């Protein structure tokens, strides 16, 4: 077996500066889960299909199972653990609890990341915007209806807050 | 008293931990000392093992290796029959059959190394289809390939054919379906002769696993501990299969003395774990000139795969549901589950009923046409009503109104207007629209005397602050078990929903409340929660610490005083069968289920005649499920089930080659996404069931039964073509239309 050396690089994860030491081709997903011990990001397929591993890099949604660790060099990363503010849930999280947008919960972290991006791009999403924005995140439990309702209700409360 | 929790959509008990990512599934739990295990599997579907070779440049002596010889107890998966070994010894009966286990601290090395273990096999001819197995082309299981058979007989169908107004025959097929929980299966184990075996995992049924570890290791139950980790979906896929993984992981731990972790990747999970049984159903039906059913003769066949697993129980449910919610004086159902050299099929939400329901609901449309009646008029003339008897002779004593449910569903979906409009507008259009429905029922809980044999128990304990802990082996797999148990406990005790905690299922801490299957958790185990709560109140009252009326504060101080005096306040409730249930297992006669859920589903589709793609555009699900304990969660269960049913009908196809699934990836086994699902509109009618928790019936599996036939009946309406199989993907529809065109059927 050829041995490749680990490399060190800096990045920000959920607002915290970190120095990561990883094999260059390691999956960012594994670095986040194993090295950073942020296990809220899940692996459902490992091939970019299910969205359970969705995180944000510099504000863009990515499937972390497809991203080589080195791509995080200098980047700002946000995972589900960085969505709430202390004990205070984000409106979208709160809405998923109230509207039963999470059943088994395994798709939920990725789904919430996708919902955040969706609401950022479409503060007043149409049903089609929602379907489209969440189409990269598979959920086997809910049939998506309660997820759509969670997003819509979150959007309503966000409007009221403004 | 606190606000009643039942009937109100209280927040999901573990909801917060799910939206923050805090909740830990098996792969999230930290076992820093763990090494990794994997399974070396058979490369062929049938044959004799000649040898095992460790090849390539690997430090093989560093690997822990386990073969059947290392098994301390019996080499079998203890389930219903004892036909399935934990590790194959001489014979191979399906592709991917486990032959040996290896483990190593370096995961990447392990994954590379496993490709270099070669199993030398002398191949034999396998069989892969129900027909080949039924014809005994090769005998691969027992004397006749029959894993199980049942016969239901009511009246005498053979007396009817000659004098019937019409006799209509049909043959229907359903394919394998992957559960596709988004969390792949996995286990962690520690084991040693001194400390026994402990496994943690993603699972539905802790006590099933405990039972099998006992046999595998030859040690008493109390030395086999099974601990649930948060489970990311099951749908039956984590009913019996986790037993296999638990055994493998524990054997590696036993031999190595180390903690061993085994998490399947998606490809392995899809290729090797159980799927929904493929089915073939033949119907022969006689009607009189008024369109009334006179006789129904059904042959119901399942492909069980290479070993029996839970097939007999799946076959049983499919058999009992085979003639649907219709009244017929003469019924015969011959059911057989046949062995093939495919990996064993197993539990999947619906458990045989979705297969036989697809057949009967397609067939009823065909019979209606022969009778010259609309599908709804034909069904209205034949629905089972209160006071009548099912195929097994069960007297229906509950208030059933299938006609009412169907009428509601047709109204909510605007069925009549749409049907007429589509017929007019479809002419000459590329996109053909259609609307169709299915009417069906689903027996709740275990079949026949199953619940009596399970004899489930549940515990409840109070602390000195009046906080209540429910002790049950029932697992939260997304369906809301924790929430429902808390609602029932809170309302029975008249305290706040927030004062209830649910103990994590762990065989060392919770009694056996039975497996988390068969839509039984809310109805049956939920009722055990109510019974336990009443026992707890009775204790406090006997001790004269609580009056008939009390505030939550008084309850808390009563608990405090009781514990002060007696040390603990704990009760165990036990299942007792509702009166008047009689089941004759021998002849398949009697009360098959304590109660049934009843439903009418309507689907609207658009079929693109250029691409042959079917899209489901609207879906109305009307059902009577007893008392609705939690409206939002109940609707969520139905919606999730409908989406899986839509997948079963027009998206999800397991492609087999040489005995193994070759599209074992999410990229080419396609389940519905957020852009594929129709708007699903759910409506409930409530007829409280006296013996279910607060009047609840089971609902988890119901939506799988009727969704697929409703969709295909809608496609039939759009395309004017008979479709007798699912999954029906674009390529299948294309072929069907081509061959129908050649035979002169299809649209004029
Ligand atoms: S795990 Fe990354 S997309 Fe499925
Ligand atoms: S909640 Fe289970 S997969 Fe989405």
């Amino acid at each position: 077996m050829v041995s490749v050396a680990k490399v060190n690089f800096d990045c920000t994860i959920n607002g915290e500066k970190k120095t990561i030491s990883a094999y260059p081709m390691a999956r960012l997903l594994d670095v986040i889960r194993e090295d950073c011990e942020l296990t809220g990001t899940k692996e459902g397929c490992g091939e970019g299909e299910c969205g359970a591993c969705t995180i944000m890099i510099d504000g863009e949604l990515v499937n972390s199972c497809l991203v080589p660790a080195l791509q995080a060099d200098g980047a700002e990363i946000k995972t589900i653990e960085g969505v709430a503010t202390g004990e205070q849930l984000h409106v979208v999280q709160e809405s998923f609890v109230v509207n039963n947008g999470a059943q088994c919960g395994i798709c939920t972290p990725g789904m919430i990341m996708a919902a955040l991006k969706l609401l950022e791009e479409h503060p007043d999403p149409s049903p089609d915007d929602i379907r489209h924005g969440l189409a990269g995140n598979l959920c086997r439990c809910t049939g998506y209806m309660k997820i759509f309702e969670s997003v819509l209700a979150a959007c309503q409360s966000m409007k009221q807050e403004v | 008293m606190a606000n009643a929790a039942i009937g109100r959509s209280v927040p999901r008990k573990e909801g917060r931990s799910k939206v923050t990512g805090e909740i830990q599934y098996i792969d999230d739990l930290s076992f820093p000392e763990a090494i990794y295990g994997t399974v070396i599997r058979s490369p062929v579907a049938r044959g004799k093992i000649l040898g095992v070779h460790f090849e390539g440049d690997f430090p093989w002596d560093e690997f822990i290796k386990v073969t059947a010889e290392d098994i301390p107890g019996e080499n079998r998966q203890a389930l219903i029959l004892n036909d399935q070994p934990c590790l194959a010894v001489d014979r191979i009966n399906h592709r991917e059959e486990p032959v040996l286990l290896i483990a190593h601290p370096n995961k990447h090395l392990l994954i590379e190394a496993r490709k270099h273990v070669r199993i030398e096999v002398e191949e034999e001819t396998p069989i892969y289809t129900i027909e080949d197995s039924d014809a005994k082309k090769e005998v691969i299981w027992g004397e006749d390939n029959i894993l199980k058979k049942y016969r239901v007989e009511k009246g005498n169908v053979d007396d009817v054919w000659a004098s019937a107004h019409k006799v209509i025959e049909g043959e229907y097929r359903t394919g394998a379906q992957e559960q596709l929980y988004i969390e792949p299966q996995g286990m962690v184990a520690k084991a040693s002769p001194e400390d026994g075996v402990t496994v943690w995992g993603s699972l539905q049924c802790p006590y099933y696993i405990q039972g099998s570890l006992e046999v595998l290791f030859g040690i008493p139950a109390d030395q086999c501990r099974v601990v649930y980790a948060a489970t990311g979906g099951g749908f039956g896929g984590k009913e019996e299969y986790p037993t296999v993984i638990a055994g493998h992981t524990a054997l590696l731990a036993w031999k190595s003395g180390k903690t061993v972790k085994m998490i399947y990747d998606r490809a392995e999970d899809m290729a090797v774990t159980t799927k929904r049984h493929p089915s073939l159903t033949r119907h022969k039906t006689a009607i009189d000139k008024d369109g009334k059913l006179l006789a129904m003769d059904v042959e119901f066949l399942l492909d069980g795969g290479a070993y029996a697993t839970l097939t007999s129980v799946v076959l049983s449910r499919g058999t009992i549901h085979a003639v649907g919610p219709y009244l017929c004086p003469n019924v015969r159902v011959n059911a057989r589950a046949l062995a093939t050299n495919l990996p064993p099929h197993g539990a999947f939400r619906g458990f045989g009923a979705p297969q036989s329901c697809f057949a009967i609901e397609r067939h009823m449309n065909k019979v209606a046409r022969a009778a010259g009646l609309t599908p709804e008029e034909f069904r209205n003339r034949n629905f089972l009503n209160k006071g009548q008897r099912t195929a097994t002779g069960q007297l229906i004593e509950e208030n059933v109104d299938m006609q009412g449910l169907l009428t509601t569903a047709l109204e909510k979906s605007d069925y009549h207007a749409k049907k007429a409009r589509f017929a007019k507008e479809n002419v000459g259009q590329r996109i053909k629209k259609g609307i169709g429905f299915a009417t069906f029922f689903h027996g709740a809980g275990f079949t026949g005397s199953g619940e009596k044999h399970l004899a489930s128990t549940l515990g409840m304990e109070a602390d000195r602050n009046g906080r209540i802990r429910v002790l049950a082996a029932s697992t939260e797999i997304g369906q809301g078990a924790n929430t429902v148990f808390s609602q029932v406990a809170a309302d029975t005790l008249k305290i706040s929903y927030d004062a209830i905690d649910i103990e994590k299922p762990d065989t060392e801490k919770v009694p056996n409340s039975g497996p988390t299957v068969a839509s039984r958790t809310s109805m049956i185990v939920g009722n055990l929660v109510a019974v336990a709560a009443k026992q707890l109140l009775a204790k406090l009252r006997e001790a004269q610490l609580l009056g008939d009326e009390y505030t939550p504060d008084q309850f808390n101080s009563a608990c405090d005083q009781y514990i002060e005096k007696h040390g603990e306040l704990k009760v165990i409730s036990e299942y007792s069968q509702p009166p008047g249930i009689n089941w004759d297992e021998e002849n398949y006669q009697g009360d098959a289920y304590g109660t049934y859920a009843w439903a009418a589903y309507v689907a609207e589709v658009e079929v693109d005649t250029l691409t042959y793609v079917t899209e489901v555009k609207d879906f109305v699900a009307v059902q009577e499920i007893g008392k609705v304990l939690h409206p939002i969660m109940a609707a969520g269960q139905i919606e999730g089930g409908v989406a899986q049913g839509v997948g079963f009908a027009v998206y999800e196809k397991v492609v087999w080659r040489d005995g193994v699934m070759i599209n074992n990836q999410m990229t080419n086994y396609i389940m519905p996404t957020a852009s594929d699902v129709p708007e699903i509109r759910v409506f409930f009618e409530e007829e409280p069931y006296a013996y279910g928790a607060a009047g609840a019936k089971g609902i988890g599996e119901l939506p799988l039964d009727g969704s697929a036939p409703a969709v295909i009946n809608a496609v039939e309406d759009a395309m004017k073509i008979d479709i007798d199989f699912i999954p029906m993907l674009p390529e299948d529809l294309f072929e069907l239309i081509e061959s129908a065109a050649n035979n002169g059927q299809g649209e004029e």
Side-chain angles (χ1 to χ4, degrees), chain A residues 33 42 44 47 49 87 93 100 102-106 131 135 139-141 144-146, chain B residues 12 16 18-19 25 27-28 178-179 266 636 639-640 652 665-667 672 674 677-678:
Chain A
R33 288 180 50 83
K42 307 299 180 192
E47 53 178 9
E49 200 62 30
E87 285 298 291
Q93 290 174 310
N100 200 31
Q103 286 191 20
C104 82
I106 196 79
R131 284 169 175 265
C139 174
R140 190 56 154 171
C141 296
Y144 306 101
M145 296 300 120
K146 296 289 175 271
Chain B
R12 173 179 283 271
R16 190 186 166 95
K18 283 181 171 166
V19 300
Y25 301 82
D27 199 22
D28 304 335
E178 164 60 32
Q179 293 88 355
R266 179 59 59 183
E639 291 155 5
E652 299 179 30
Q665 291 172 296
M666 282 178 164
T667 38
V677 286

Short mmCIF file of all heavy atoms in Angstrom, two decimals, chain A residues 33 42 44 47 49 87 93 100 102-106 131 135 139-141 144-146, chain B residues 12 16 18-19 25 27-28 178-179 266 636 639-640 652 665-667 672 674 677-678:
data_model
loop_
_atom_site.label_atom_id
_atom_site.label_comp_id
_atom_site.label_asym_id
_atom_site.label_seq_id
_atom_site.Cartn_x
_atom_site.Cartn_y
_atom_site.Cartn_z
N ARG A 33 -17.05 14.12 10.69
CA ARG A 33 -17.63 13.18 11.65
C ARG A 33 -16.59 12.62 12.61
O ARG A 33 -16.83 12.51 13.81
CB ARG A 33 -18.32 12.02 10.92
CG ARG A 33 -19.61 12.40 10.23
CD ARG A 33 -20.25 11.21 9.51
NE ARG A 33 -20.34 10.04 10.38
CZ ARG A 33 -21.31 9.84 11.25
NH1 ARG A 33 -22.30 10.70 11.34
NH2 ARG A 33 -21.30 8.77 12.02
N LYS A 42 -24.74 13.16 8.38
CA LYS A 42 -24.91 11.71 8.25
C LYS A 42 -24.43 11.18 6.91
O LYS A 42 -24.36 11.92 5.93
CB LYS A 42 -26.39 11.33 8.40
CG LYS A 42 -27.06 11.88 9.64
CD LYS A 42 -26.42 11.37 10.90
CE LYS A 42 -27.12 11.92 12.14
NZ LYS A 42 -26.34 11.66 13.36
N GLY A 44 -25.73 8.55 4.16
CA GLY A 44 -26.80 7.65 3.74
C GLY A 44 -26.41 6.80 2.55
O GLY A 44 -26.91 5.70 2.37
N GLU A 47 -22.52 8.48 -2.12
CA GLU A 47 -22.33 8.69 -3.56
C GLU A 47 -23.09 9.90 -4.09
O GLU A 47 -23.44 9.95 -5.27
CB GLU A 47 -22.69 7.43 -4.33
CG GLU A 47 -24.08 6.92 -4.00
CD GLU A 47 -24.46 5.68 -4.80
OE1 GLU A 47 -23.60 5.12 -5.48
OE2 GLU A 47 -25.64 5.31 -4.75
N GLU A 49 -26.12 11.01 -3.57
CA GLU A 49 -27.49 10.84 -4.02
C GLU A 49 -28.53 11.21 -2.96
O GLU A 49 -29.61 11.69 -3.29
CB GLU A 49 -27.68 9.37 -4.42
CG GLU A 49 -28.85 9.10 -5.32
CD GLU A 49 -28.77 9.81 -6.67
OE1 GLU A 49 -27.66 10.05 -7.18
OE2 GLU A 49 -29.85 10.11 -7.21
N GLU A 87 -28.79 27.47 23.11
CA GLU A 87 -29.97 26.63 23.34
C GLU A 87 -31.15 27.01 22.44
O GLU A 87 -32.15 26.30 22.37
CB GLU A 87 -30.41 26.77 24.82
CG GLU A 87 -29.53 26.03 25.79
CD GLU A 87 -29.54 24.53 25.55
OE1 GLU A 87 -30.59 23.90 25.80
OE2 GLU A 87 -28.51 24.00 25.08
N GLN A 93 -35.55 24.92 12.53
CA GLN A 93 -35.48 23.74 13.41
C GLN A 93 -36.75 23.62 14.25
O GLN A 93 -37.36 22.55 14.36
CB GLN A 93 -34.27 23.84 14.33
CG GLN A 93 -32.93 23.69 13.61
CD GLN A 93 -31.76 23.94 14.54
OE1 GLN A 93 -31.72 24.96 15.24
NE2 GLN A 93 -30.80 23.04 14.56
N ASN A 100 -43.61 18.12 12.75
CA ASN A 100 -43.23 16.73 12.53
C ASN A 100 -42.49 16.54 11.20
O ASN A 100 -42.67 15.55 10.51
CB ASN A 100 -44.46 15.81 12.58
CG ASN A 100 -44.10 14.36 12.85
OD1 ASN A 100 -43.11 14.07 13.52
ND2 ASN A 100 -44.87 13.46 12.30
N ALA A 102 -39.48 15.89 11.06
CA ALA A 102 -38.51 14.82 11.30
C ALA A 102 -39.24 13.62 11.86
O ALA A 102 -39.90 13.73 12.88
CB ALA A 102 -37.45 15.27 12.29
N GLN A 103 -39.14 12.48 11.17
CA GLN A 103 -39.67 11.25 11.77
C GLN A 103 -38.49 10.47 12.35
O GLN A 103 -38.14 10.66 13.50
CB GLN A 103 -40.47 10.45 10.74
CG GLN A 103 -41.84 11.09 10.45
CD GLN A 103 -42.76 10.18 9.64
OE1 GLN A 103 -42.59 8.97 9.58
NE2 GLN A 103 -43.75 10.77 9.00
N CYS A 104 -37.86 9.62 11.54
CA CYS A 104 -36.70 8.90 12.10
C CYS A 104 -35.54 9.85 12.33
O CYS A 104 -34.66 9.59 13.14
CB CYS A 104 -36.29 7.74 11.21
SG CYS A 104 -35.24 8.19 9.82
N GLY A 105 -35.51 10.95 11.58
CA GLY A 105 -34.52 11.99 11.84
C GLY A 105 -33.19 11.86 11.11
O GLY A 105 -32.36 12.75 11.21
N ILE A 106 -33.00 10.78 10.38
CA ILE A 106 -31.68 10.59 9.78
C ILE A 106 -31.44 11.54 8.60
O ILE A 106 -30.33 11.96 8.35
CB ILE A 106 -31.48 9.10 9.36
CG1 ILE A 106 -29.99 8.79 9.13
CG2 ILE A 106 -32.25 8.73 8.12
CD1 ILE A 106 -29.21 8.57 10.39
N ARG A 131 -40.19 22.15 -3.50
CA ARG A 131 -39.93 20.81 -4.03
C ARG A 131 -38.58 20.76 -4.72
O ARG A 131 -37.79 19.84 -4.53
CB ARG A 131 -41.02 20.42 -5.03
CG ARG A 131 -42.31 20.03 -4.34
CD ARG A 131 -43.44 19.93 -5.36
NE ARG A 131 -44.64 19.44 -4.70
CZ ARG A 131 -45.01 18.17 -4.67
NH1 ARG A 131 -44.27 17.26 -5.27
NH2 ARG A 131 -46.10 17.80 -4.04
N ALA A 135 -35.13 18.69 -3.54
CA ALA A 135 -35.13 17.46 -4.35
C ALA A 135 -33.84 16.68 -4.22
O ALA A 135 -33.80 15.48 -4.53
CB ALA A 135 -35.39 17.80 -5.82
N CYS A 139 -35.95 11.55 1.70
CA CYS A 139 -36.53 11.17 2.98
C CYS A 139 -37.44 9.98 2.73
O CYS A 139 -38.31 10.03 1.86
CB CYS A 139 -37.36 12.32 3.57
SG CYS A 139 -38.22 11.81 5.07
N ARG A 140 -37.23 8.90 3.47
CA ARG A 140 -38.02 7.69 3.24
C ARG A 140 -39.22 7.63 4.18
O ARG A 140 -40.10 6.80 3.99
CB ARG A 140 -37.13 6.47 3.45
CG ARG A 140 -37.72 5.14 3.02
CD ARG A 140 -38.17 5.10 1.58
NE ARG A 140 -38.14 3.75 1.05
CZ ARG A 140 -38.65 3.42 -0.14
NH1 ARG A 140 -39.23 4.34 -0.90
NH2 ARG A 140 -38.58 2.18 -0.58
N CYS A 141 -39.25 8.49 5.21
CA CYS A 141 -40.29 8.36 6.23
C CYS A 141 -41.52 9.23 5.98
O CYS A 141 -42.63 8.80 6.20
CB CYS A 141 -39.75 8.76 7.60
SG CYS A 141 -38.43 7.72 8.23
N TYR A 144 -42.54 13.61 2.48
CA TYR A 144 -42.19 15.03 2.28
C TYR A 144 -43.25 16.06 2.66
O TYR A 144 -42.95 17.23 2.80
CB TYR A 144 -41.75 15.31 0.83
CG TYR A 144 -40.65 14.43 0.34
CD1 TYR A 144 -40.91 13.33 -0.48
CD2 TYR A 144 -39.32 14.65 0.72
CE1 TYR A 144 -39.88 12.50 -0.92
CE2 TYR A 144 -38.29 13.83 0.28
CZ TYR A 144 -38.58 12.75 -0.55
OH TYR A 144 -37.58 11.94 -0.98
N MET A 145 -44.52 15.64 2.83
CA MET A 145 -45.57 16.64 3.06
C MET A 145 -45.27 17.47 4.31
O MET A 145 -45.38 18.69 4.31
CB MET A 145 -46.94 15.97 3.22
CG MET A 145 -47.44 15.25 1.99
SD MET A 145 -47.63 16.33 0.57
CE MET A 145 -46.50 15.55 -0.57
N LYS A 146 -44.91 16.79 5.40
CA LYS A 146 -44.68 17.52 6.65
C LYS A 146 -43.39 18.33 6.58
O LYS A 146 -43.23 19.31 7.32
CB LYS A 146 -44.64 16.54 7.83
CG LYS A 146 -45.96 15.81 8.05
CD LYS A 146 -47.03 16.74 8.61
CE LYS A 146 -48.38 16.06 8.72
NZ LYS A 146 -49.21 16.17 7.47
N ARG B 12 -42.99 16.11 19.08
CA ARG B 12 -42.36 14.80 19.14
C ARG B 12 -41.35 14.76 20.29
O ARG B 12 -40.57 15.67 20.48
CB ARG B 12 -41.66 14.54 17.81
CG ARG B 12 -40.81 13.32 17.73
CD ARG B 12 -40.20 13.19 16.35
NE ARG B 12 -41.19 12.71 15.39
CZ ARG B 12 -41.40 11.41 15.15
NH1 ARG B 12 -40.68 10.49 15.77
NH2 ARG B 12 -42.32 11.03 14.29
N ARG B 16 -36.45 17.55 19.35
CA ARG B 16 -35.39 18.54 19.46
C ARG B 16 -34.02 17.94 19.13
O ARG B 16 -33.23 18.51 18.38
CB ARG B 16 -35.41 19.13 20.88
CG ARG B 16 -34.50 20.32 21.01
CD ARG B 16 -34.41 20.81 22.46
NE ARG B 16 -33.27 21.71 22.52
CZ ARG B 16 -33.36 23.03 22.40
NH1 ARG B 16 -34.52 23.61 22.27
NH2 ARG B 16 -32.27 23.76 22.42
N LYS B 18 -33.38 15.63 17.26
CA LYS B 18 -33.28 15.26 15.85
C LYS B 18 -33.00 16.46 14.95
O LYS B 18 -32.33 16.34 13.93
CB LYS B 18 -34.54 14.52 15.38
CG LYS B 18 -34.56 13.07 15.87
CD LYS B 18 -35.77 12.27 15.44
CE LYS B 18 -35.55 10.79 15.79
NZ LYS B 18 -36.79 10.00 15.70
N VAL B 19 -33.49 17.64 15.32
CA VAL B 19 -33.25 18.81 14.48
C VAL B 19 -31.91 19.49 14.79
O VAL B 19 -31.45 20.31 14.00
CB VAL B 19 -34.39 19.85 14.57
CG1 VAL B 19 -35.71 19.24 14.14
CG2 VAL B 19 -34.49 20.45 15.96
N TYR B 25 -27.12 7.92 16.34
CA TYR B 25 -27.40 6.66 15.66
C TYR B 25 -26.16 5.78 15.86
O TYR B 25 -25.14 6.25 16.38
CB TYR B 25 -27.69 6.92 14.18
CG TYR B 25 -28.88 7.85 13.99
CD1 TYR B 25 -28.73 9.23 14.09
CD2 TYR B 25 -30.16 7.34 13.77
CE1 TYR B 25 -29.82 10.09 13.96
CE2 TYR B 25 -31.25 8.18 13.64
CZ TYR B 25 -31.08 9.56 13.73
OH TYR B 25 -32.15 10.39 13.62
N ASP B 27 -23.73 4.69 14.09
CA ASP B 27 -22.42 5.11 13.59
C ASP B 27 -21.93 6.39 14.28
O ASP B 27 -20.81 6.82 14.07
CB ASP B 27 -22.51 5.31 12.07
CG ASP B 27 -21.13 5.29 11.41
OD1 ASP B 27 -20.19 4.74 12.02
OD2 ASP B 27 -20.99 5.85 10.30
N ASP B 28 -22.78 7.00 15.08
CA ASP B 28 -22.40 8.24 15.77
C ASP B 28 -21.86 7.97 17.17
O ASP B 28 -21.23 8.84 17.78
CB ASP B 28 -23.61 9.18 15.92
CG ASP B 28 -24.26 9.48 14.57
OD1 ASP B 28 -23.56 9.38 13.55
OD2 ASP B 28 -25.46 9.80 14.55
N GLU B 178 -37.03 -2.63 -2.04
CA GLU B 178 -36.02 -2.38 -1.00
C GLU B 178 -36.59 -1.40 0.02
O GLU B 178 -37.19 -0.39 -0.37
CB GLU B 178 -34.76 -1.82 -1.70
CG GLU B 178 -33.74 -1.16 -0.81
CD GLU B 178 -33.17 -2.07 0.27
OE1 GLU B 178 -33.05 -3.28 0.04
OE2 GLU B 178 -32.86 -1.55 1.36
N GLN B 179 -36.37 -1.68 1.30
CA GLN B 179 -36.91 -0.77 2.34
C GLN B 179 -36.28 0.62 2.22
O GLN B 179 -36.95 1.62 2.42
CB GLN B 179 -36.64 -1.33 3.74
CG GLN B 179 -37.41 -2.61 4.05
CD GLN B 179 -36.66 -3.85 3.62
OE1 GLN B 179 -35.61 -3.79 3.01
NE2 GLN B 179 -37.23 -5.00 3.95
N ARG B 266 -23.93 1.52 1.69
CA ARG B 266 -25.23 1.41 1.02
C ARG B 266 -25.28 0.24 0.05
O ARG B 266 -26.27 -0.48 -0.03
CB ARG B 266 -25.54 2.73 0.29
CG ARG B 266 -26.84 2.75 -0.46
CD ARG B 266 -28.06 2.49 0.39
NE ARG B 266 -28.23 3.43 1.47
CZ ARG B 266 -29.20 3.36 2.38
NH1 ARG B 266 -30.10 2.38 2.34
NH2 ARG B 266 -29.27 4.26 3.34
N GLY B 636 -48.54 12.01 9.02
CA GLY B 636 -47.18 11.79 8.54
C GLY B 636 -46.91 10.33 8.22
O GLY B 636 -46.23 10.01 7.25
N GLU B 639 -48.73 9.63 4.92
CA GLU B 639 -48.05 10.26 3.78
C GLU B 639 -46.77 9.51 3.40
O GLU B 639 -46.50 9.27 2.22
CB GLU B 639 -47.73 11.72 4.12
CG GLU B 639 -48.97 12.59 4.22
CD GLU B 639 -48.80 13.82 5.11
OE1 GLU B 639 -47.69 14.08 5.59
OE2 GLU B 639 -49.81 14.53 5.33
N GLY B 640 -46.01 9.14 4.43
CA GLY B 640 -44.78 8.38 4.17
C GLY B 640 -45.09 7.05 3.51
O GLY B 640 -44.38 6.61 2.61
N GLU B 652 -39.71 1.97 -8.15
CA GLU B 652 -38.68 1.15 -7.51
C GLU B 652 -38.60 -0.26 -8.09
O GLU B 652 -39.48 -1.07 -7.87
CB GLU B 652 -38.97 1.08 -6.00
CG GLU B 652 -38.94 2.47 -5.38
CD GLU B 652 -39.25 2.46 -3.90
OE1 GLU B 652 -38.95 1.46 -3.23
OE2 GLU B 652 -39.80 3.46 -3.41
N GLN B 665 -27.64 0.69 -5.65
CA GLN B 665 -27.18 2.04 -5.33
C GLN B 665 -28.38 2.96 -5.38
O GLN B 665 -29.32 2.73 -6.14
CB GLN B 665 -26.20 2.51 -6.39
CG GLN B 665 -24.88 1.80 -6.40
CD GLN B 665 -24.09 2.23 -7.62
OE1 GLN B 665 -24.51 1.97 -8.75
NE2 GLN B 665 -23.00 2.91 -7.39
N MET B 666 -28.29 4.05 -4.67
CA MET B 666 -29.38 5.02 -4.74
C MET B 666 -29.41 5.74 -6.09
O MET B 666 -30.41 6.36 -6.42
CB MET B 666 -29.25 6.02 -3.62
CG MET B 666 -29.72 5.44 -2.28
SD MET B 666 -29.48 6.67 -0.99
CE MET B 666 -30.51 5.98 0.31
N THR B 667 -28.32 5.66 -6.83
CA THR B 667 -28.34 6.31 -8.15
C THR B 667 -29.15 5.54 -9.17
O THR B 667 -29.64 6.13 -10.13
CB THR B 667 -26.92 6.46 -8.73
OG1 THR B 667 -26.19 5.28 -8.40
CG2 THR B 667 -26.20 7.65 -8.18
N PRO B 672 -39.03 7.87 -4.70
CA PRO B 672 -39.58 9.21 -4.97
C PRO B 672 -38.84 10.32 -4.20
O PRO B 672 -38.51 10.17 -3.03
CB PRO B 672 -41.03 9.11 -4.49
CG PRO B 672 -41.34 7.65 -4.53
CD PRO B 672 -40.06 6.96 -4.20
N ALA B 674 -38.58 14.75 -3.42
CA ALA B 674 -39.51 15.85 -3.11
C ALA B 674 -40.19 16.36 -4.38
O ALA B 674 -41.31 16.88 -4.31
CB ALA B 674 -38.77 16.98 -2.41
N VAL B 677 -43.22 13.37 -5.51
CA VAL B 677 -44.42 12.98 -4.77
C VAL B 677 -45.60 13.89 -5.14
O VAL B 677 -45.42 15.08 -5.37
CB VAL B 677 -44.24 13.00 -3.24
CG1 VAL B 677 -43.40 11.84 -2.78
CG2 VAL B 677 -43.65 14.32 -2.77
N PRO B 678 -46.78 13.30 -5.20
CA PRO B 678 -47.97 14.14 -5.42
C PRO B 678 -48.29 14.89 -4.14
O PRO B 678 -47.72 14.61 -3.08
CB PRO B 678 -49.05 13.10 -5.71
CG PRO B 678 -48.63 11.89 -4.95
CD PRO B 678 -47.12 11.88 -5.01
#
